[in-house]
Amino acid sequence: MTTRTTYWLEYAWLDTYVEPGVAVEVADGRITAVRTEVPAPPPGAEILRGLTLPGLANAHSHAFHRALRSTVQVGSGTFWTWRELMYSFADRLTPDSYHALARAVYAEMALAGIACVGEFHYVHHAPDGTRYADPNAMGEALIAAAADAGIRITLLDTAYLSAGFGEPPNAHQLRFSDGSAEAWAERCSVLKERDHARIGAAIHSVRAVPAGQLATVARWAEERRAPLHVHLSEQTAENDACQAAHGVTPTRLLADHGVLGPRTTGVHNTHLTDEDIALLGGSGTGTCMCPTTERDLADGIGPAVALQRAGSPLSLGSDSHAVIDLLEEARAMELNERLRTRTRGHWTAAALLRAASADGHAALGWDDAGAIETGMLADLTTIALDSVRTAGPVPRLGAETAVFAATAADVRHTVVAGRHVVRDGAHTLVPDVPQALARAVEALRA
């Protein structure tokens, strides 16, 4: 039976401009018509007051990192000391506790206007490396959590086989490893896609997958036309170790083993040479910037402008969830570049919103999402234009207001595939998201 709904948008961002009074007709989760110049809501329409954008896409997430929020802000240190605390939380996860935490985290994402998440998933097995009765129990918990929170997911099942170049997994990493890329491929081949879930692949990093096994992961993704993501040059120490082990940069190593290409996304891409940038752009490999995590971990500012000019599409992710706010990620990418160059206006607000929506969905294998157009998935995110942050600017500057003034707290509605998941700032499926988060995090600390 066909389910039909009409949404009336007080203001809508239609890719390059703001249009007042737009009616969006939806059937079975897809947009069937977009009508402009509709000054009043049609009878029976769902009313979305504020500025409605295409649903946002969070292209890089580690759901369990949400448990580290604030805890990792005590004292100082580096990425590598932060990683030790992260391992302590990873050690405690079970399928049930991961489901509870991820459900709450994905509900927080929905409240922030996120319709789809790319979950970079590498916690596969029991803490000692023993497989669960269902070898994909942890991944299935994440897929179920996304459904329960009302958002879509691309599960980027991650190959993670070594602690470093030529080093076996350490005690914390045993549960990440399948032993070989072939065993990884065999396990994740069992995962099934669903209406709300797609299966992709990931290479954790060049230090975590031996060079001789990179092609196996790339081939698995190529055969399925699936997205393939990889942490790339986030740390200079990784670059130095790769040079010592192989005599090339991580980007060149990936290129030599057939990993780069239009369905591949490098996450962070922070410390690159000019040749690296040319390799990524020339191959059409995407770049997922995660500015709030990159600054939280003191990683550095990546060459996003140069990458985009070279041909690398940009997407955005909240990564470690220091905050979950795609508007802040978009804003931070521009403001970071202003700090680095001492000039303004590297991207328009429209370009930043595309990185947070259409280009993010494409990086996750959802080319049919990220625009308010006929035939696309009916994902809508509505930003209040009357909050203390957004009141004042004229509506035609709605895109600029959303990117440079609004925060996740200004999200009023989130519609995912036609379903009203967040209504008037309240989640319709998870009644008390803060309590769900608090309980899930406390369970890991216990």
Side-chain angles (χ1 to χ4, degrees), residues 119-202:
E119 184 61 40
F120 199 102
H121 166 55
Y122 55 81
V123 186
H124 302 304
H125 309 301
D128 63 356
T130 302
R131 291 194 171 202
Y132 291 106
D134 174 1
N136 287 302
M138 297 294 267
E140 291 291 347
L142 293 165
I143 291 171
D148 292 344
I151 69 172
R152 291 194 308 279
I153 185 172
T154 296
L155 187 74
L156 298 161
D157 197 287
T158 304
Y160 194 137
L161 306 173
S162 59
F165 298 97
E167 299 178 23
N170 65 34
H172 298 294
Q173 297 164 342
L174 290 174
R175 70 182 316 186
F176 307 162
S177 177
D178 289 292
S180 69
E182 290 77 11
W184 165 86
E186 181 181 2
R187 176 184 53 74
C188 59
S189 292
V190 179
L191 287 161
K192 302 298 182 187
E193 297 194 340
R194 277 141 261 197
D195 288 345
H196 81 291
R198 292 185 178 166
I199 308 303

Side-chain angles (χ1 to χ4, degrees), residues 82 95 176 325 361 375 399:
W82 168 90
F176 307 162
D325 188 340
H361 288 289

Side-chain angles (χ1 to χ4, degrees), residues 11 18 385 390-401:
Y11 296 98
V18 174
L385 294 179
T390 61
V394 295
R396 66 180 175 79
L397 295 176
E400 288 77 11
T401 301

Side-chain angles (χ1 to χ4, degrees), residues 8-10 41 47-52 382-385 412-413:
W8 181 78
L9 321 182
E10 184 180 24
I47 298 171
L48 307 183
R49 293 205 178 274
L51 173 69
T52 298
T382 303
I383 308 295
L385 294 179
R412 182 173 283 165
H413 302 281

Side-chain angles (χ1 to χ4, degrees), residues 54-369:
L56 306 180
N58 187 351
H60 189 66
S61 163
H62 302 291
F64 79 91
H65 288 192
R66 174 61 177 80
L68 280 71
R69 187 180 293 180
S70 298
T71 302
V72 291
Q73 302 302 341
V74 178
S76 60
T78 67
F79 167 86
W80 306 101
T81 54
W82 168 90
R83 191 175 70 157
E84 291 304 311
L85 184 58
M86 178 271 289
Y87 283 154
S88 72
F89 280 91
D91 289 345
R92 303 171 198 168
L93 290 169
T94 68
D96 287 344
S97 67
Y98 207 3
H99 173 269
L101 178 59
R103 171 180 173 268
V105 174
Y106 296 157
E108 182 182 357
M109 290 186 192
L111 289 170
I114 293 164
C116 185
V117 61
E119 184 61 40
F120 199 102
H121 166 55
Y122 55 81
V123 186
H124 302 304
H125 309 301
D128 63 356
T130 302
R131 291 194 171 202
Y132 291 106
D134 174 1
N136 287 302
M138 297 294 267
E140 291 291 347
L142 293 165
I143 291 171
D148 292 344
I151 69 172
R152 291 194 308 279
I153 185 172
T154 296
L155 187 74
L156 298 161
D157 197 287
T158 304
Y160 194 137
L161 306 173
S162 59
F165 298 97
E167 299 178 23
N170 65 34
H172 298 294
Q173 297 164 342
L174 290 174
R175 70 182 316 186
F176 307 162
S177 177
D178 289 292
S180 69
E182 290 77 11
W184 165 86
E186 181 181 2
R187 176 184 53 74
C188 59
S189 292
V190 179
L191 287 161
K192 302 298 182 187
E193 297 194 340
R194 277 141 261 197
D195 288 345
H196 81 291
R198 292 185 178 166
I199 308 303
I203 293 164
H204 180 273
S205 55
V206 293
R207 69 179 185 274
V209 177
Q213 301 188 56
L214 292 170
T216 300
V217 184
R219 186 166 54 250
W220 187 95
E222 176 65 26
E223 289 171 351
R224 290 159 179 78
R225 314 291 290 175
L228 172 62
H229 288 214
V230 54
H231 289 135
L232 180 56
S233 289
E234 181 179 6
Q235 295 290 323
T236 54
E238 177 180 274
N239 289 358
D240 295 343
C242 188
Q243 285 280 3
H246 298 289
V248 295
T249 66
T251 300
R252 169 52 74 183
L253 189 68
L254 294 175
D256 290 347
H257 290 273
V259 174
L260 304 185
R263 280 190 305 282
T264 299
T265 296
V267 180
H268 304 302
N269 293 359
T270 307
H271 302 285
L272 303 177
T273 66
D274 290 344
E275 181 191 22
D276 292 339
I277 292 169
L279 283 170
L280 293 166
S283 62
T285 299
T287 294
C288 179
M289 302 297 290
C290 305
T292 65
T293 290
E294 289 151 5
R295 72 190 183 198
D296 182 61
L297 297 180
D299 288 341
I301 299 171
V305 171
L307 282 160
Q308 188 169 55
R309 286 176 179 164
S312 179
L314 300 179
S315 56
L316 296 164
S318 63
D319 192 0
S320 69
H321 313 312
V323 296
I324 294 177
D325 188 340
L326 261 288
L327 301 174
E328 171 62 19
E329 302 295 345
R331 175 165 56 246
M333 188 163 70
E334 166 67 23
L335 297 186
N336 282 353
E337 194 65 17
R338 292 182 186 185
L339 283 174
R340 192 179 68 81
T341 63
R342 291 181 290 171
T343 60
R344 304 175 80 227
H346 302 278
W347 292 277
T348 64
L352 293 167
L353 286 177
R354 280 194 294 275
S357 55
D359 291 344
H361 288 289
L364 298 176
W366 300 87
D367 294 317
D368 52 351

